């Protein structure tokens, strides 16, 4: 993801297919692990995004961003790829490193997916249905935590992955630098001053006929209120949010290195017997 950020910042290239199969890892002679981002088949020049058909669905189904699933008119940015990374890490936390069905007849794997809360990411009727579920999964920390709670607690340090994902979700979806319209994942009504209308507080039974008619007009107006998409609002902050997300990854990576070094040191210490 360091490479992803650099390529976007310096080369104006958007990868657009962040998936579990597009990361390679190699252990160096000194024991450190290096990562490589591959498969730029769907990459596009960020300065030429207007030439890209917005209704074209790009990416790997399990990990496609809400924008790509819906084929909406929102501007595509780095944040689509960071969103895809969250889905990759949730998928790995739920099913493990080898938890990817490779064949249609892989019934055991499909059975595992069917029993998971995120099965709707691959098993919904339409792409827009998947997008709807993903909006719901990301919209607030409580709904997102319900997914993280399905991680296998027997895996050593799985809580570190869950903590990382919580921080990434907060930075992407509820970023403190965004306006209220830019937070959350569900579409929300646009209104001046974010004040509740009187129509939302009233019940028809408590009004005379004329007032009911006026109230109906208000409700009809509320039905026609323009909707704001937080994903669209956040696009303007893509470089800033991406830097925050990368910093989170780097901090967690350093923490993990310390954990591994500590575990290695402890395993090399001579054992004592009483």
């Amino acid at each position: 993801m360091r490479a992803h950020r650099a390529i976007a910042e310096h080369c104006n290239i958007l990868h657009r297919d962040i998936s579990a199969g597009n990361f390679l890892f190699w252990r160096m002679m000194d024991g450190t692990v290096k990562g490589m981002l591959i498969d730029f088949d769907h990459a596009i020049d960020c300065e030429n995004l207007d030439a890209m058909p917005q209704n074209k669905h790009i990416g790997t189904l399990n990990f496609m961003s809400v924008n790509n699933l819906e084929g909406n008119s929102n501007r595509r940015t780095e944040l689509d790829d960071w969103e895809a990374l969250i889905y990759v890490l949730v998928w790995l936390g739920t099913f493990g490193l080898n938890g990817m069905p490779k064949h249609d007849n892989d019934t055991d794997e499909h059975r595992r997916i069917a029993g998971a809360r995120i099965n709707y990411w691959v098993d919904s009727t339409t792409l827009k249905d998947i997008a709807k579920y993903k909006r719901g999964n990301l919209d607030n920390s409580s709904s997102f935590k319900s997914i993280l709670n399905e991680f296998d607690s027997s895996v050593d340090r799985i809580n570190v992955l869950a903590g990382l994902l919580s921080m990434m979700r907060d930075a992407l979806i509820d970023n403190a630098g965004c306006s209220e319209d830019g937070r959350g994942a569900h579409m929300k009504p646009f209104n001046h001053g974010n004040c509740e209308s009187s129509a939302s507080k009233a019940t028809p039974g408590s009004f005379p006929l004329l007032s009911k008619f006026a109230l109906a007009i208000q409700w009809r107006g509320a039905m026609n209120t323009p909707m704001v998409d937080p994903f669209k609002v956040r696009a303007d902050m893509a470089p800033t949010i991406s830097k925050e997300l990368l910093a989170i990854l780097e901090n967690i990576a350093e923490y993990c290195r310390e954990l591994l070094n500590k575990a290695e040191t402890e395993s090399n210490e001579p054992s004592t017997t009483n």
Side-chain angles (χ1 to χ4, degrees), residues 25-35 257 260-261 264:
F25 299 94
W26 184 263
R27 188 174 297 279
M28 312 299 285
M29 294 296 291
D30 62 358
T32 59
V33 176
K34 298 293 184 180
R257 281 191 287 270
L260 291 171
N261 290 337
E264 185 177 0

Side-chain angles (χ1 to χ4, degrees), residues 42-58:
H42 297 300
I44 193 170
D45 186 344
C46 294
E47 294 182 344
N48 195 33
L49 289 178
D50 291 339
M52 180 187 73
Q54 298 294 73
N55 60 354
K56 190 172 182 180
H57 306 286
I58 298 296

Side-chain angles (χ1 to χ4, degrees), residues 135 139 179-183 185-197 200 218-230 233:
R135 281 184 184 269
D139 187 60
S179 64
E180 189 62 32
D181 286 340
R183 299 180 190 176
H186 283 311
M187 301 280 284
K188 56 188 71 176
F190 173 82
N191 58 71
H192 301 286
N194 291 320
C195 296
E196 291 185 71
S197 70
S200 66
Q218 281 189 317
W219 274 327
R220 179 175 295 180
M223 293 288 288
N224 295 326
T225 299
M227 302 296 285
V228 176
D229 189 349
V233 176

